[in-house]
Amino acid sequence: NKGLEITLSGTPFRNKDFTWDATGNISVNRNKVLALGPTGDPIFSDGGAGTTHVTMVGQPIGAFYGYKMLGVFKTKEELESYPHLADTQVGDVMFEDVNGDQKIDADDRTIIGNNMPDFTWGMTHSFTYKNFDLSVFAMARYGQTINSDLLGYYTAEQSVTKNQLAGVDYWTEDNRDAYFPKLHHYSVNGSNHNTSSRYMLNAAYLRLKNVTLGYTVPSSLLKKVGIARLRVFVQGENLLTLTPMKVKFADPETLGNMTYPINKKISVGMNLTL
Protein backbone atom coordinates (compact mmCIF):
# COMPACT_ATOMS: atom_id res chain seq x y z
CA ASN A 1 0.00 0.00 0.00
CA LYS A 2 1.44 3.37 -1.02
CA GLY A 3 0.00 6.79 -0.35
CA LEU A 4 0.92 10.40 -0.93
CA GLU A 5 -0.73 13.58 0.28
CA ILE A 6 0.25 17.11 -0.71
CA THR A 7 -1.15 20.30 0.80
CA LEU A 8 -0.36 23.80 -0.45
CA SER A 9 -1.48 27.06 1.14
CA GLY A 10 -0.80 30.64 0.21
CA THR A 11 -2.06 34.16 -0.35
CA PRO A 12 -2.08 34.83 -4.11
CA PHE A 13 -3.12 38.45 -3.66
CA ARG A 14 -3.33 41.02 -0.88
CA ASN A 15 -3.71 44.79 -0.70
CA LYS A 16 -5.38 47.31 1.59
CA ASP A 17 -8.98 46.28 0.86
CA PHE A 18 -8.78 42.84 -0.80
CA THR A 19 -7.25 39.53 0.28
CA TRP A 20 -7.30 36.16 -1.45
CA ASP A 21 -6.19 33.08 0.52
CA ALA A 22 -6.10 29.59 -1.00
CA THR A 23 -5.51 26.08 0.32
CA GLY A 24 -5.44 22.95 -1.80
CA ASN A 25 -4.67 19.30 -1.16
CA ILE A 26 -4.49 16.13 -3.17
CA SER A 27 -4.11 12.58 -1.86
CA VAL A 28 -3.18 9.51 -3.84
CA ASN A 29 -3.43 5.96 -2.53
CA ARG A 30 -2.45 2.75 -4.29
CA ASN A 31 -2.68 -0.80 -3.03
CA LYS A 32 -1.70 -3.97 -4.84
CA VAL A 33 -1.57 -7.57 -3.63
CA LEU A 34 1.99 -8.88 -3.95
CA ALA A 35 1.51 -12.44 -2.69
CA LEU A 36 -1.23 -14.78 -1.46
CA GLY A 37 -0.17 -17.75 0.61
CA PRO A 38 1.67 -20.77 -0.73
CA THR A 39 -0.59 -21.37 -3.75
CA GLY A 40 -1.35 -17.77 -4.72
CA ASP A 41 -4.99 -18.67 -5.44
CA PRO A 42 -7.43 -15.70 -5.59
CA ILE A 43 -9.74 -15.11 -2.63
CA PHE A 44 -13.40 -14.48 -3.49
CA SER A 45 -16.04 -12.90 -1.29
CA ASP A 46 -19.69 -12.00 -1.74
CA GLY A 47 -20.18 -8.25 -1.51
CA GLY A 48 -23.98 -8.47 -1.47
CA ALA A 49 -26.45 -7.21 -4.07
CA GLY A 50 -25.06 -9.64 -6.64
CA THR A 51 -21.52 -8.30 -6.34
CA THR A 52 -18.40 -10.41 -6.04
CA HIS A 53 -15.07 -9.13 -4.74
CA VAL A 54 -11.74 -10.75 -5.47
CA THR A 55 -8.30 -10.39 -3.95
CA MET A 56 -5.63 -11.63 -6.34
CA VAL A 57 -1.97 -11.04 -6.98
CA GLY A 58 -1.31 -7.90 -9.00
CA GLN A 59 -4.70 -6.31 -8.27
CA PRO A 60 -6.08 -4.02 -5.53
CA ILE A 61 -7.58 -5.69 -2.46
CA GLY A 62 -11.27 -6.52 -2.90
CA ALA A 63 -11.63 -5.48 -6.54
CA PHE A 64 -15.02 -5.99 -8.21
CA TYR A 65 -15.09 -9.25 -10.19
CA GLY A 66 -17.56 -10.46 -12.80
CA TYR A 67 -18.52 -10.38 -16.47
CA LYS A 68 -17.89 -7.45 -18.79
CA MET A 69 -21.07 -6.14 -20.35
CA LEU A 70 -20.68 -5.38 -24.06
CA GLY A 71 -24.25 -4.24 -24.56
CA VAL A 72 -27.68 -5.76 -25.09
CA PHE A 73 -28.67 -8.30 -27.75
CA LYS A 74 -30.81 -6.23 -30.15
CA THR A 75 -31.97 -8.94 -32.53
CA LYS A 76 -32.35 -12.71 -32.80
CA GLU A 77 -29.62 -12.79 -35.46
CA GLU A 78 -27.19 -11.04 -33.13
CA LEU A 79 -28.04 -13.45 -30.33
CA GLU A 80 -27.46 -16.49 -32.54
CA SER A 81 -24.12 -15.20 -33.82
CA TYR A 82 -22.47 -14.49 -30.46
CA PRO A 83 -21.81 -16.83 -27.49
CA HIS A 84 -24.22 -16.45 -24.59
CA LEU A 85 -25.57 -18.18 -21.51
CA ALA A 86 -28.24 -20.82 -22.06
CA ASP A 87 -31.25 -18.79 -20.91
CA THR A 88 -30.31 -15.56 -22.71
CA GLN A 89 -33.00 -13.90 -24.83
CA VAL A 90 -33.14 -10.96 -27.21
CA GLY A 91 -32.99 -7.85 -25.05
CA ASP A 92 -30.72 -9.51 -22.47
CA VAL A 93 -27.13 -8.64 -21.60
CA MET A 94 -24.27 -9.50 -23.96
CA PHE A 95 -21.20 -10.57 -21.96
CA GLU A 96 -17.66 -10.44 -23.32
CA ASP A 97 -16.02 -13.74 -24.28
CA VAL A 98 -12.83 -12.82 -22.42
CA ASN A 99 -10.87 -16.02 -23.09
CA GLY A 100 -12.08 -16.36 -26.69
CA ASP A 101 -13.33 -19.95 -26.39
CA GLN A 102 -16.67 -19.12 -28.08
CA LYS A 103 -18.73 -19.70 -24.94
CA ILE A 104 -19.72 -17.69 -21.89
CA ASP A 105 -18.97 -19.30 -18.54
CA ALA A 106 -17.30 -18.59 -15.21
CA ASP A 107 -13.88 -18.46 -16.92
CA ASP A 108 -14.90 -15.22 -18.63
CA ARG A 109 -15.16 -13.30 -15.36
CA THR A 110 -12.53 -10.64 -14.82
CA ILE A 111 -11.79 -7.44 -12.90
CA ILE A 112 -14.62 -4.96 -13.58
CA GLY A 113 -13.87 -2.17 -11.13
CA ASN A 114 -12.20 -0.91 -7.98
CA ASN A 115 -13.81 1.15 -5.23
CA MET A 116 -10.57 2.90 -4.30
CA PRO A 117 -10.23 6.30 -6.05
CA ASP A 118 -7.05 7.11 -7.97
CA PHE A 119 -6.97 10.47 -6.21
CA THR A 120 -9.01 12.76 -3.97
CA TRP A 121 -8.72 16.51 -4.33
CA GLY A 122 -9.97 19.48 -2.35
CA MET A 123 -9.54 23.25 -2.51
CA THR A 124 -10.71 26.21 -0.45
CA HIS A 125 -10.59 29.82 -1.64
CA SER A 126 -11.28 32.64 0.82
CA PHE A 127 -11.80 36.24 -0.25
CA THR A 128 -12.27 39.39 1.79
CA TYR A 129 -13.14 42.82 0.42
CA LYS A 130 -13.53 45.49 3.04
CA ASN A 131 -16.39 44.14 5.21
CA PHE A 132 -17.42 41.34 2.84
CA ASP A 133 -16.06 37.79 2.98
CA LEU A 134 -16.54 34.85 0.63
CA SER A 135 -15.42 31.25 1.11
CA VAL A 136 -15.67 28.51 -1.54
CA PHE A 137 -14.82 24.84 -0.89
CA ALA A 138 -14.85 22.19 -3.63
CA MET A 139 -13.74 18.56 -3.70
CA ALA A 140 -13.35 15.80 -6.26
CA ARG A 141 -12.57 12.12 -6.62
CA TYR A 142 -11.39 10.32 -9.73
CA GLY A 143 -10.92 6.68 -10.71
CA GLN A 144 -13.47 5.19 -8.31
CA THR A 145 -16.02 2.52 -9.23
CA ILE A 146 -19.02 1.76 -7.06
CA ASN A 147 -21.69 -0.93 -7.14
CA SER A 148 -25.27 0.21 -7.64
CA ASP A 149 -27.84 -2.06 -6.00
CA LEU A 150 -30.62 -0.56 -8.09
CA LEU A 151 -28.88 -1.13 -11.39
CA GLY A 152 -28.45 -4.76 -10.42
CA TYR A 153 -31.99 -5.25 -9.21
CA TYR A 154 -34.28 -2.92 -11.10
CA THR A 155 -36.19 -5.79 -12.77
CA ALA A 156 -39.46 -6.88 -11.17
CA GLU A 157 -38.78 -9.18 -8.21
CA GLN A 158 -40.90 -10.62 -5.44
CA SER A 159 -39.29 -8.43 -2.79
CA VAL A 160 -41.13 -5.13 -2.37
CA THR A 161 -37.77 -3.44 -1.82
CA LYS A 162 -36.67 -4.18 -5.39
CA ASN A 163 -39.26 -2.47 -7.55
CA GLN A 164 -38.80 -1.27 -11.09
CA LEU A 165 -37.09 2.11 -11.43
CA ALA A 166 -38.76 4.90 -13.34
CA GLY A 167 -36.83 6.55 -16.15
CA VAL A 168 -34.34 3.72 -16.76
CA ASP A 169 -33.22 3.30 -20.38
CA TYR A 170 -34.13 -0.40 -20.67
CA TRP A 171 -34.60 -2.49 -23.83
CA THR A 172 -37.99 -2.80 -25.51
CA GLU A 173 -39.03 -3.66 -29.06
CA ASP A 174 -39.25 0.08 -29.68
CA ASN A 175 -36.01 0.92 -27.85
CA ARG A 176 -33.45 -1.56 -29.15
CA ASP A 177 -30.49 0.78 -28.59
CA ALA A 178 -31.07 0.91 -24.81
CA TYR A 179 -28.16 0.60 -22.39
CA PHE A 180 -29.96 -1.71 -19.94
CA PRO A 181 -31.60 -5.08 -20.71
CA LYS A 182 -35.32 -5.71 -20.86
CA LEU A 183 -37.45 -6.12 -17.76
CA HIS A 184 -38.54 -9.53 -16.57
CA HIS A 185 -38.76 -11.49 -13.38
CA TYR A 186 -35.61 -13.18 -12.08
CA SER A 187 -37.27 -16.63 -12.18
CA VAL A 188 -37.89 -16.24 -15.92
CA ASN A 189 -34.29 -15.48 -16.80
CA GLY A 190 -31.43 -15.13 -14.35
CA SER A 191 -28.60 -14.40 -16.81
CA ASN A 192 -29.06 -10.63 -16.56
CA HIS A 193 -28.42 -10.85 -12.83
CA ASN A 194 -24.94 -12.33 -13.10
CA THR A 195 -22.41 -10.01 -11.52
CA SER A 196 -21.24 -7.79 -14.35
CA SER A 197 -20.06 -4.33 -15.22
CA ARG A 198 -23.68 -3.22 -15.67
CA TYR A 199 -23.85 -3.00 -11.87
CA MET A 200 -20.85 -0.68 -11.85
CA LEU A 201 -20.87 3.11 -11.90
CA ASN A 202 -18.03 5.42 -12.77
CA ALA A 203 -18.20 7.40 -9.54
CA ALA A 204 -15.83 10.23 -10.45
CA TYR A 205 -17.26 13.55 -9.33
CA LEU A 206 -16.62 17.21 -8.67
CA ARG A 207 -18.76 18.75 -5.92
CA LEU A 208 -19.17 22.32 -4.77
CA LYS A 209 -19.38 21.47 -1.07
CA ASN A 210 -19.72 24.84 0.59
CA VAL A 211 -20.10 28.50 -0.38
CA THR A 212 -20.42 31.14 2.33
CA LEU A 213 -20.95 34.86 1.78
CA GLY A 214 -20.78 37.13 4.82
CA TYR A 215 -20.87 40.79 5.77
CA THR A 216 -19.46 42.27 8.98
CA VAL A 217 -21.35 45.36 10.11
CA PRO A 218 -18.98 48.31 10.78
CA SER A 219 -18.16 48.66 14.48
CA SER A 220 -18.97 52.37 14.36
CA LEU A 221 -22.62 51.48 13.83
CA LEU A 222 -22.68 48.77 16.49
CA LYS A 223 -21.31 50.86 19.36
CA LYS A 224 -24.55 52.82 19.51
CA VAL A 225 -26.52 49.67 20.38
CA GLY A 226 -23.91 48.00 22.60
CA ILE A 227 -22.84 45.26 20.19
CA ALA A 228 -19.14 44.44 19.87
CA ARG A 229 -19.32 42.54 16.57
CA LEU A 230 -22.04 41.42 14.15
CA ARG A 231 -21.57 39.32 11.04
CA VAL A 232 -24.48 38.11 8.91
CA PHE A 233 -24.04 35.38 6.33
CA VAL A 234 -25.75 33.09 3.83
CA GLN A 235 -24.36 29.60 3.30
CA GLY A 236 -24.98 26.97 0.66
CA GLU A 237 -23.96 23.30 0.90
CA ASN A 238 -23.72 20.69 -1.87
CA LEU A 239 -24.88 23.22 -4.43
CA LEU A 240 -23.49 21.47 -7.51
CA THR A 241 -22.28 17.96 -8.34
CA LEU A 242 -20.79 16.98 -11.69
CA THR A 243 -20.56 13.22 -12.27
CA PRO A 244 -20.87 10.75 -15.18
CA MET A 245 -22.90 8.29 -13.05
CA LYS A 246 -25.93 6.85 -14.86
CA VAL A 247 -27.99 6.94 -11.67
CA LYS A 248 -28.03 10.63 -10.87
CA PHE A 249 -29.73 10.29 -7.49
CA ALA A 250 -27.00 7.99 -6.17
CA ASP A 251 -24.38 9.83 -4.16
CA PRO A 252 -20.77 9.23 -5.28
CA GLU A 253 -19.33 10.73 -2.11
CA THR A 254 -21.02 8.08 0.08
CA LEU A 255 -20.25 5.17 -2.28
CA GLY A 256 -23.57 5.29 -4.08
CA ASN A 257 -25.88 5.67 -1.11
CA MET A 258 -29.46 6.01 -2.38
CA THR A 259 -31.23 5.65 0.97
CA TYR A 260 -29.99 8.88 2.51
CA PRO A 261 -28.77 11.08 -0.35
CA ILE A 262 -26.83 14.25 0.37
CA ASN A 263 -29.18 17.21 0.09
CA LYS A 264 -28.60 20.74 -1.04
CA LYS A 265 -28.95 23.16 1.85
CA ILE A 266 -29.11 26.94 2.09
CA SER A 267 -29.02 28.66 5.46
CA VAL A 268 -28.91 32.22 6.76
CA GLY A 269 -27.36 33.16 10.08
CA MET A 270 -25.41 35.64 12.13
CA ASN A 271 -22.46 35.76 14.50
CA LEU A 272 -23.12 38.16 17.36
CA THR A 273 -20.66 39.30 20.03
CA LEU A 274 -21.91 41.56 22.83
Side-chain angles (χ1 to χ4, degrees), residues 24-58:
N25 68 80
I26 184 171
S27 61
V28 180
N29 187 65
R30 298 286 186 275
N31 77 81
K32 182 170 70 172
V33 179
L34 302 180
L36 282 174
T39 64
D41 292 337
I43 300 173
F44 297 92
S45 61
D46 181 10
T51 305
T52 300
H53 296 276
V54 64
T55 297
M56 62 172 56
V57 175

Side-chain angles (χ1 to χ4, degrees), residues 35-259:
L36 282 174
T39 64
D41 292 337
I43 300 173
F44 297 92
S45 61
D46 181 10
T51 305
T52 300
H53 296 276
V54 64
T55 297
M56 62 172 56
V57 175
Q59 298 293 336
I61 297 174
F64 294 123
Y65 187 77
Y67 296 96
K68 282 188 176 181
M69 174 180 171
L70 296 181
V72 174
F73 286 108
K74 300 178 182 179
T75 63
K76 181 179 179 181
E77 290 74 22
E78 190 175 57
L79 177 64
E80 293 174 347
S81 64
Y82 191 84
H84 53 269
L85 297 172
D87 56 0
T88 304
Q89 305 169 8
V90 176
D92 288 342
V93 177
M94 177 190 296
F95 297 126
E96 181 177 351
D97 180 16
V98 172
N99 60 10
D101 63 358
Q102 297 303 305
K103 63 180 180 179
I104 302 297
D105 56 25
D107 293 336
D108 292 304
R109 293 177 299 169
T110 185
I111 301 297
I112 54 176
N114 174 28
N115 61 8
M116 293 293 294
D118 291 339
F119 71 80
T120 301
W121 165 90
M123 180 166 285
T124 301
H125 293 275
S126 300
F127 308 91
T128 59
Y129 177 70
K130 295 185 178 180
N131 288 55
F132 290 93
D133 62 88
L134 174 66
S135 175
V136 180
F137 170 53
M139 67 175 297
R141 287 181 188 162
Y142 179 79
Q144 174 181 269
T145 303
I146 61 176
N147 168 54
S148 168
D149 293 1
L150 288 180
L151 288 186
Y153 288 107
Y154 73 80
T155 51
E157 295 217 23
Q158 294 176 348
S159 170
V160 295
T161 63
K162 298 173 183 176
N163 293 325
Q164 174 183 326
L165 287 177
V168 173
D169 180 30
Y170 54 83
W171 186 95
T172 67
E173 290 287 349
D174 299 323
N175 188 30
R176 292 177 178 269
D177 292 326
Y179 179 82
F180 295 106
K182 67 181 180 181
L183 297 172
H184 51 57
H185 195 279
Y186 183 90
S187 62
V188 175
N189 183 342
S191 64
N192 286 335
H193 296 267
N194 282 284
T195 301
S196 73
S197 56
R198 86 175 179 95
Y199 287 69
M200 303 298 130
L201 294 174
N202 176 359
Y205 74 93
L206 170 65
R207 170 167 285 165
L208 187 59
K209 286 287 292 181
N210 188 289
V211 178
T212 303
L213 176 64
Y215 177 75
T216 301
V217 179
S219 58
S220 59
L221 299 177
L222 298 176
K223 289 180 180 179
K224 300 177 181 180
V225 292
I227 298 176
R229 185 177 186 274
L230 175 62
R231 174 179 173 268
V232 294
F233 65 89
V234 58
Q235 183 180 68
E237 299 180 32
N238 305 312
L239 297 178
L240 176 67
T241 301
L242 302 176
T243 177
M245 292 205 311
K246 293 184 179 296
V247 179
K248 298 302 182 183
F249 48 83
D251 180 39
E253 186 177 346
T254 56
L255 301 180
N257 190 315
M258 288 169 276
T259 305

